Amino acid sequence: GDVNTLQKANDEQQEVIERQIEQLNRAWYVYGTAKELKEQHILRGGQALSAADFNKSYFTEIDIRVDRVFPLYSKHAQLLTVHPTGSYELVKDADKMITLNILDFEAFWSVSRYMVIQVR
């Protein structure tokens, strides 16, 4: 009986640890035109996330350990949130469409767990 009780407690602790790890590795991103971002209160006065009432449901949730490539389907893009230089790159493909590649995910997400990109 003691072995079963200990095994059950161990399994429950493992589930809690896994949930905590998932939460620690969550982030959210959004990209859109200035008009779209303003409509969602994400962009105000040229500043991203400057007000607490921005539409959080407009963002896509990701796992920072897995999601590192973001095709933006635009020829013009600007990262509006602050992320360390050198932790990412904006790359144009043959059609001049931009993709954001995160090179160092720990550094990139160290400042903010939100990423806002304005496209045209």
Side-chain angles (χ1 to χ4, degrees):
D2 289 338
V3 172
N4 288 337
T5 302
L6 289 173
Q7 184 60 45
K8 183 178 178 183
N10 188 34
D11 291 345
E12 289 171 359
Q13 286 177 343
Q14 188 61 35
E15 286 177 31
V16 168
I17 290 168
E18 288 173 12
R19 279 195 306 271
Q20 289 173 336
I21 289 170
E22 285 177 17
Q23 288 177 353
L24 288 171
N25 288 292
R26 284 191 305 184
W28 297 265
Y29 83 98
V30 67
Y31 68 92
T33 64
K35 180 182 178 187
E36 292 168 336
L37 297 173
K38 285 176 186 175
E39 288 172 354
Q40 301 302 320
H41 304 287
I42 296 166
L43 185 61
R44 283 197 181 154
Q47 297 291 323
L49 308 176
S50 61
D53 66 339
F54 66 91
N55 183 358
K56 292 180 179 150
S57 67
Y58 199 66
F59 285 77
T60 301
E61 184 177 316
I62 61 165
D63 183 327
I64 66 171
R65 300 166 296 177
V66 177
D67 300 299
R68 297 188 191 177
V69 177
F70 301 88
L72 302 174
Y73 309 104
S74 177
K75 293 181 180 183
H76 303 280
Q78 179 182 3
L79 186 60
L80 299 180
T81 44
V82 176
H83 301 278
T85 304
S87 65
Y88 68 94
E89 64 183 356
L90 293 169
V91 179
K92 290 186 179 183
D93 65 14
D95 297 324
K96 300 199 189 288
M97 295 296 201
I98 296 176
T99 298
L100 182 136
N101 296 322
I102 296 176
L103 306 173
D104 179 349
F105 76 94
E106 290 175 339
F108 184 86
W109 296 109
S110 66
V111 176
S112 174
R113 292 298 172 136
Y114 284 91
M115 174 174 63
V116 178
I117 303 166
Q118 181 179 324
V119 296
R120 287 191 276 156

